[in-house]
């Protein structure tokens, strides 16, 4: 029974592929709602992932960790970045079974955004100096914490669900 159904599905797909040209397929993506909506959702998620700063943070994470961590070796910092990303991915595997995808995406985006705002405030106050810069020098652990939170939150929804 399963083999017959599988064969029917394969035959249907073969005839469907033969009937549809590339241009017709592109037209159907934008004209039919059943194709356009998933296309729009996935492309929106990919754009959010790109514009969330994920790649910039990952690229400069080793530099941030070495500056904040004092005399930390760059190789050790790279290993720590990989471990942090692994922890985030493992948490995603656990949470995806218990929570909805929408909740994970929204929560991940909120946590990532909050971490970036706090990190930006820390960097701005250190660069601009003044009385706020002096107070921020006491909180030298805060940029590191923001980067770690960001790197754990990124694979929890925003950067894993589109794939």
């Amino acid at each position: 029974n399963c083999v017959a159904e599988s064969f029917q599905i394969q035959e249907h797909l073969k005839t469907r592929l033969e009937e549809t040209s590339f241009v017709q397929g592109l037209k159907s993506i934008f004209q039919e709602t059943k194709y356009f909506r998933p296309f729009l959702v996935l492309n929106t998620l990919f754009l959010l992932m790109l514009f969330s700063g994920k790649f910039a943070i990952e690229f400069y994470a080793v530099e941030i960790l070495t500056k904040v961590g004092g005399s930390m070796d760059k190789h050790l910092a790279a290993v720590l970045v990989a471990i942090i990303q692994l922890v985030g991915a493992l948490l995603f595997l656990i949470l995806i079974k218990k929570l909805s995808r929408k909740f994970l995406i929204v929560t991940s985006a909120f946590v990532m955004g909050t971490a970036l705002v706090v990190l930006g405030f820390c960097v701005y106050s250190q660069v601009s100096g003044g009385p706020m810069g002096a107070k921020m020098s006491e909180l030298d652990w805060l940029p590191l914490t923001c980067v770690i939170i960001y790197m754990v939150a990124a694979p929890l929804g925003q950067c894993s669900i589109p794939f």
Side-chain angles (χ1 to χ4, degrees), residues 56 150 155:
Y150 181 88

Side-chain angles (χ1 to χ4, degrees), residues 4-156:
E5 287 181 28
S6 175
F7 182 72
Q8 284 179 334
I9 291 171
Q10 288 176 351
E11 288 299 318
H12 176 71
L13 288 176
K14 283 181 186 177
T15 57
R16 180 80 176 172
L17 288 175
E18 291 171 0
E19 295 172 2
T20 308
S21 71
F22 179 73
V23 176
Q24 289 174 336
L26 283 178
K27 284 182 184 178
S28 69
I29 287 174
F30 294 105
Q31 291 175 346
E32 297 181 36
T33 309
K34 67 180 180 178
Y35 299 126
F36 182 69
R37 193 161 182 219
F39 176 78
L40 185 65
V41 168
L42 276 176
N43 281 315
T44 303
L45 288 174
F46 279 120
L47 284 175
L48 284 173
M49 181 179 64
L50 287 173
F51 291 126
S52 70
K54 176 188 185 312
F55 299 113
I57 290 291
E58 286 181 0
F59 182 75
Y60 290 109
V62 172
E63 185 177 331
I64 292 170
L65 288 176
T66 54
K67 283 186 179 181
V68 174
S71 62
M72 184 184 301
D73 183 37
K74 288 184 179 183
H75 300 291
L76 177 63
V79 170
L80 288 177
V81 167
I83 290 172
I84 291 168
Q85 290 175 342
L86 178 66
V87 167
L90 292 176
L91 281 174
F92 171 73
L93 291 175
I94 295 168
L95 292 177
I96 194 70
K97 294 178 183 178
K98 297 181 180 183
L99 302 171
S100 70
R101 290 178 291 175
K102 289 179 186 178
F103 179 77
L104 285 175
I105 289 172
V106 170
T107 305
S108 173
F110 178 75
V111 171
M112 288 167 61
T114 305
L116 282 181
V117 167
V118 173
L119 179 64
F121 179 73
C122 291
V123 171
Y124 177 76
S125 64
Q126 287 175 351
V127 170
S128 66
M132 200 59 168
K135 290 180 183 177
M136 287 306 293
S137 65
E138 297 172 4
L139 300 174
D140 58 349
W141 53 269
L142 192 57
L144 176 65
T145 306
C146 290
V147 170
I148 291 172
I149 289 172
Y150 181 88
M151 292 180 70
V152 169
L156 288 182

